[in-house]
Amino acid sequence: MLVLFIVPFALQAQTKFHDVEANDAKGAVKSITSNRMGNPVSIKFTQDGKMQQEGMTDAVYDADGYLQSAKMKVNGQGMEMELAFKYAWENGKVKSQTIETQMGAFKSTNVYDDKGVLVKTVMDMGGQQMETPYTDYKFDAKGNWISRKTSMMGQEMEESRTIEYYE
């Protein structure tokens, strides 16, 4: 007599790509919409976790699906420029990001608390360091931040975003 055992498996499989984590989120994220300098910015993700952002090209991933580098065309103050991004990862989170522009390279290092929440970013701008702290987080039911406060150059502001999930 043949007896079959059915072993239950997790409904939400490990994603192939970790672009959601590169955007400081986790889970089955379909899109993240935020406001950047008064303009709505929406980043969409495939079900396997790959970012689909307008203007992004030349994405390079390691064998585990972590984004290593990409190029991004951005429009700012009436001109288009291409930025090159490089990522360094530690424990499934972005440890640092280097942005190469026509004006030089800028490196930002992320600092997380013991729960994995981003508490500050330290940017090295040609030898000069600028810290951006993040406080007063509000989280959605899935554990992703949807609101936080930050201060930049002495000006306090609130950042918010809307996250849509695959069900």
Side-chain angles (χ1 to χ4, degrees):
M1 169 166 47
L2 178 65
V3 178
L4 294 176
F5 291 96
I6 299 174
V7 179
F9 60 93
L11 292 176
Q12 187 177 351
Q14 171 71 32
T15 58
K16 182 177 179 183
F17 299 99
H18 297 279
D19 293 357
V20 170
E21 291 90 340
N23 286 277
D24 198 19
K26 60 188 174 191
V29 173
K30 189 181 217 176
S31 68
I32 299 174
T33 303
S34 59
N35 237 347
R36 285 209 192 117
M37 299 183 194
N39 297 317
V41 176
S42 186
I43 303 169
K44 295 182 186 329
F45 301 90
T46 62
Q47 282 192 288
D48 61 0
K50 194 169 192 177
M51 188 171 17
Q52 296 181 309
Q53 187 170 5
E54 190 176 324
M56 187 171 112
T57 61
D58 301 337
V60 175
Y61 293 87
D62 70 8
D64 295 319
Y66 287 96
L67 184 61
Q68 300 299 298
S69 63
K71 291 183 180 168
M72 181 77 67
K73 286 187 179 168
V74 294
N75 291 312
Q77 300 176 345
M79 56 189 244
E80 182 178 273
M81 66 170 133
E82 186 172 83
L83 306 175
F85 291 84
K86 291 183 181 172
Y87 297 87
W89 294 81
E90 186 175 280
N91 298 324
K93 298 212 172 266
V94 175
K95 176 72 176 159
S96 65
Q97 177 180 333
T98 303
I99 303 168
E100 295 175 5
T101 71
Q102 289 129 343
M103 299 176 287
F106 302 97
K107 181 178 181 179
S108 63
T109 303
N110 294 330
V111 178
Y112 300 91
D113 68 11
D114 58 352
K115 295 179 184 129
V117 176
L118 182 65
V119 293
K120 71 179 172 182
T121 300
V122 181
M123 182 170 281
D124 184 349
M125 301 171 71
Q128 189 173 20
Q129 290 195 342
M130 183 175 83
E131 281 191 15
T132 305
Y134 300 101
T135 60
D136 299 336
Y137 277 91
K138 291 183 179 116
F139 297 90
D140 66 10
K142 308 263 188 194
N144 286 314
W145 75 267
I146 52 172
S147 173
R148 65 185 180 187
K149 288 187 179 168
T150 186
S151 63
M152 193 177 291
M153 294 186 251
Q155 177 114 14
E156 189 171 288
M157 53 190 140
E158 187 170 331
E159 297 178 334
S160 61
R161 64 185 188 174
T162 304
I163 301 177
E164 195 179 339
Y165 295 92
Y166 288 102
E167 293 303 322

